[in-house]
Amino acid sequence: MTELLCVNDLSVAYKGMPVLKHAVFSMKEKEIVCIVGESGSGKSTLIRTILGLLPAGGRYISGDIVFQGNHLLHYTQEEWRRVRGKRMAMIFQDSGSYLNPIRKVGSQYIESIRTHFKLSKKTAYNRAVQLLSNMKLDDPDRVMNAYPCQLSGGMRQRVSIAMAMAMEPELLLADEPTSALDVITQAQVMKQLLQLRDTFGTGIIMVTHNMAVAAHMADKIGVMKDGKIVEWGNAESMIDSPKHNYTMKLLTDVPELEGKDIVRSAHP
Ligand SMILES: Nc1ncnc2c1ncn2[C@@H]1O[C@H](COP(=O)(O)OP(=O)(O)O)[C@@H](O)[C@H]1O
Ligand SMILES: [Mg+2]
């Protein structure tokens, strides 16, 4: 398997305060990486830096990000436009709120598919409906015909996850994509993410607060604390023999029931 993403000595600061400190890791194609760690440890900053989307006040200090041999930090706006959204797709905790409120879901979804794939409207529609029903949206035709405000927050979030999946990306960056969803729906989304990887070879970096989900999904786990990746390695060996005290603590604090429910429902 070839290298998909390499992050080297990456450091980022907000208003002079370092929040990401010398991050180093790499992942291969088709791998699933889960990033875990307490709130404020720099997980979202890491994801946003990889996407070239640091918020105002955030400043890149040092390091390199190489995506399939290309140095992302040297990308022009035009190069980013071609990569972001399609080859590198993203989902955030509140992705659903980025849907255009004045257009029906279906027209946004079909347009997004047809911007990247040469498909008829009918085929794009069918593809969208399929992905929506994979997201446990019961009446996908109704969802396609609705305005975002006519759907619940959880439904909008599932629409946006389905839209990201339609891109068949090479890398999907997901920042706590399901934390606002109920446990059964979370399990379904996790199952679909695994399927996305298996079908299209999508590599995934997912931030999660749930160590049980990480254990179930990840090939590799990265543990973050105070802006540093304090432990990085194969999921199985990290869970069997964590090296860092903080990883041990995370493993003993696993939200047992919640995690087991998610893992169990993902494998009915
Ligand atoms: N836009 C911002 N402006 C200033 N500080 C920020 C901003 N975003 C995040 N931070 C700070 O950077 C640190 C890391 O935040 P973040 O990457 O969001 O962590 P996590 O996703 O692990 O909760 C925190 O101390 C946070 O307060
Ligand atoms: Mg975050």
Side-chain angles (χ1 to χ4, degrees):
M1 281 195 288
T2 40
E3 216 70 55
L4 179 65
L5 185 77
C6 266
V7 168
N8 272 318
D9 189 36
L10 188 65
S11 297
V12 170
Y14 285 111
K15 302 185 184 96
M17 282 282 290
V19 292
L20 186 64
K21 302 166 189 168
H22 308 288
V24 178
F25 73 88
S26 67
M27 65 187 286
K28 298 188 191 316
E29 285 175 356
K30 303 180 189 172
E31 270 187 333
I32 297 183
V33 169
C34 284
I35 306 282
V36 296
E38 65 203 359
S39 176
S41 57
K43 305 180 298 295
S44 297
T45 302
L46 174 64
I47 298 282
R48 289 185 167 277
T49 312
I50 295 169
L51 280 166
L53 291 177
L54 268 183
R59 203 163 66 84
Y60 153 81
I61 306 289
S62 71
D64 257 339
I65 307 171
V66 184
F67 174 58
Q68 295 181 319
N70 299 302
H71 286 259
L72 293 183
L73 292 166
H74 303 165
Y75 263 20
T76 60
Q77 290 297 328
E78 173 57 26
E79 284 168 319
W80 266 122
R81 206 183 52 74
R82 271 182 270 145
V83 169
R84 204 188 284 132
K86 167 70 181 89
R87 291 177 52 206
M88 205 189 263
M90 55 232 166
I91 13 177
F92 300 111
Q93 192 173 340
D94 60 346
S95 284
S97 60
Y98 292 102
L99 290 167
N100 184 337
I102 60 166
R103 288 179 60 198
K104 286 186 176 177
V105 166
S107 96
Q108 299 183 54
Y109 202 164
I110 290 169
E111 179 184 281
S112 139
I113 292 178
R114 295 183 77 221
T115 304
H116 297 289
F117 299 93
K118 281 199 170 68
L119 295 175
S120 69
K121 279 191 182 164
K122 179 77 190 141
T123 312
Y125 182 93
N126 291 339
R127 176 85 182 120
V129 163
Q130 174 65 54
L131 286 162
L132 291 176
S133 67
N134 290 351
M135 283 295 132
K136 264 182 129 18
L137 286 158
D138 292 338
D139 189 349
D141 292 302
R142 185 180 79 79
V143 172
M144 289 290 275
N145 204 35
Y147 289 97
C149 67
Q150 296 171 312
L151 304 174
S152 70
M155 291 169 92
R156 285 196 292 269
Q157 181 68 358
R158 280 177 278 162
V159 167
S160 67
I161 296 172
M163 286 176 80
M165 289 191 174
M167 295 301 111
E168 301 169 11
E170 286 142 53
L171 176 63
L172 178 70
L173 294 143
D175 192 352
E176 308 205 35
T178 61
S179 46
L181 302 176
D182 66 81
V183 170
I184 302 292
T185 312
Q186 280 188 40
Q188 186 67 14
V189 173
M190 293 308 149
K191 196 167 144 186
Q192 292 305 319
L193 288 173
L194 288 168
Q195 183 114 47
L196 182 75
R197 185 269 298 273
D198 293 344
T199 313
F200 300 109
T202 298
I204 299 173
I205 303 182
M206 182 170 75
V207 173
T208 173
H209 66 275
N210 190 324
M211 198 66 170
V213 168
H216 169 64
M217 297 274 295
D219 300 303
K220 286 181 179 157
I221 296 178
V223 180
M224 290 193 67
K225 186 168 174 25
D226 301 331
K228 292 190 190 131
I229 299 177
V230 293
E231 188 161 356
W232 178 275
N234 287 326
E236 241 169 83
S237 48
M238 191 185 295
I239 283 153
D240 287 345
S241 50
K243 301 212 164 38
H244 198 281
N245 283 342
Y246 182 63
T247 313
M248 291 176 203
K249 181 175 166 346
L250 284 180
L251 283 166
T252 42
D253 290 352
V254 167
E256 280 267 350
L257 262 176
E258 187 191 0
K260 275 190 192 143
D261 277 357
I262 290 178
V263 172
R264 224 182 266 136
S265 351
H267 287 289

